[in-house]
């Protein structure tokens, strides 16, 4: 934070929201806020759900976020996926109105390919796609679609020597371990080609009242 980064909450236990009750989610959210607010000395306003788990069956979480004082979310992935995503969701930065109030949504980045949205904003997609494809798609978001992109990377994706978990499914192993040795080099290339900044540069901290 002292170096200009904006700190957000990713939950306390990293549990999928649609596997929690409303009270469990609220408790998890408050625990994470207490830790982060205590370290930073100021309220945390941004949130991202573990594994983008705000889906059609857990939209109730948006009311809880607003009730707990969050004004920015980046959890609603506008794609079709077996674990997350809401196909047809708005891919641009936009406001959402809930019964509890309004907040800003900055969705994980996609580019339209025919009738479908192609995820290009980081994580496993960054490791699986050729770097040239990722760079081309992100430039398209900036130049042709005229909006900033959201990019994410997990700390463990920069550690190719991490221990392998025995008993993980073939799909999980593929998603988690593929191309780990290439992540740091690709990330260096990405950082050298685009300008990055905190959410506050693109998303207002305040939400309009009406």
């Amino acid at each position: 934070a002292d170096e200009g980064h904006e700190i957000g909450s990713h939950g306390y236990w990293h549990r999928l929201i649609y596997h929690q009750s409303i009270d469990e989610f609220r408790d998890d959210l408050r625990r994470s806020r207490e830790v982060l607010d205590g370290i930073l000395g100021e309220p945390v306003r941004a949130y991202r759900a573990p594994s983008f788990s705000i889906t059609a069956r857990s939209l109730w979480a948006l009311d809880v976020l607003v009730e707990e004082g969050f004004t920015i979310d980046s959890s609603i992935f506008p794609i079709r996926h077996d674990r997350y995503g809401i196909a047809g969701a708005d891919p641009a930065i936009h406001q959402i109105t809930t019964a509890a109030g309004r907040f800003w949504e900055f969705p994980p980045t996609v580019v339209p390919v025919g009738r479908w949205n192609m995820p290009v904003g980081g994580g496993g997609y960054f490791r699986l796609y050729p770097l040239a494809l990722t760079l081309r798609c992100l430039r398209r978001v900036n130049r042709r679609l005229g909006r900033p992109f959201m990019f994410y990377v997990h700390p463990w994706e920069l550690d190719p020597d991490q221990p392998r978990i025995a008993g993980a499914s073939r799909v999980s192993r593929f998603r988690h371990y593929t191309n780990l040795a290439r992540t740091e080099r690709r990330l260096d290339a990405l950082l050298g080609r685009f300008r990055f900044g905190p959410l506050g540069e693109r998303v207002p901290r305040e939400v309009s009242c009406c």
Side-chain angles (χ1 to χ4, degrees):
D2 290 341
E3 295 178 357
H5 297 279
E6 183 165 354
I7 309 301
S9 169
H10 194 42
Y12 191 85
W13 293 111
H14 203 272
R15 293 179 57 203
L16 299 175
I17 292 179
Y18 47 72
H19 288 169
Q20 301 178 65
S21 68
I22 293 177
D23 289 340
E24 288 171 336
F25 174 60
R26 191 185 301 276
D27 179 70
D28 183 89
L29 197 62
R30 287 179 174 177
R31 286 187 178 210
S32 73
R33 280 283 299 273
E34 288 173 3
V35 172
L36 295 171
D37 291 0
I39 293 171
L40 298 172
E42 61 181 26
V44 170
R45 299 297 184 186
Y47 178 78
R48 166 166 286 164
S51 300
F52 308 106
S53 53
I54 295 183
T55 67
R57 56 176 165 155
S58 54
L59 287 174
W60 50 263
L62 301 179
D63 288 284
V64 179
L65 286 172
V66 175
E67 291 166 359
E68 295 299 322
F70 288 85
T71 58
I72 303 172
D73 177 64
S74 182
S75 306
I76 300 178
F77 219 137
I79 62 171
R80 193 181 305 278
H81 190 276
D82 62 332
R83 297 187 67 195
Y84 53 77
I86 299 179
D90 191 341
I93 301 172
H94 60 283
Q95 281 194 2
I96 293 179
T97 301
T98 73
R102 288 187 170 192
F103 66 96
W104 287 98
E105 180 68 27
F106 192 154
T109 301
V110 297
V111 293
V113 179
R115 297 173 55 194
W116 307 97
N117 283 331
M118 174 181 169
V120 294
Y125 306 107
F126 184 54
R127 290 182 287 111
L128 292 172
Y129 298 164
L131 177 61
L133 175 62
T134 297
L135 297 177
R136 184 163 63 249
C137 289
L138 295 179
R139 282 193 293 266
R140 180 182 176 190
V141 173
N142 279 171
R143 298 173 184 176
R144 293 184 59 185
L145 300 181
R147 58 178 182 247
F149 61 78
M150 166 74 69
F151 188 85
Y152 68 96
V153 64
H154 302 90
W156 54 262
E157 292 182 287
L158 300 170
D159 180 15
D161 299 321
Q162 63 189 266
R164 271 36 178 183
I165 298 175
S169 69
R170 182 177 299 178
V171 172
S172 293
R173 292 197 304 270
F174 176 75
R175 287 175 172 172
H176 197 96
Y177 300 127
T178 299
N179 290 339
L180 288 175
R182 302 179 184 179
T183 308
E184 185 172 2
R185 173 173 52 82
R186 291 182 175 190
L187 184 59
D188 284 341
L190 181 75
L191 293 173
R193 286 169 170 80
F194 298 93
R195 186 181 70 85
F196 292 88
L199 284 172
E201 289 187 1
R202 294 296 179 178
V203 182
R205 291 180 63 85
E206 303 298 326
V207 180
S208 62
C209 65
C210 52

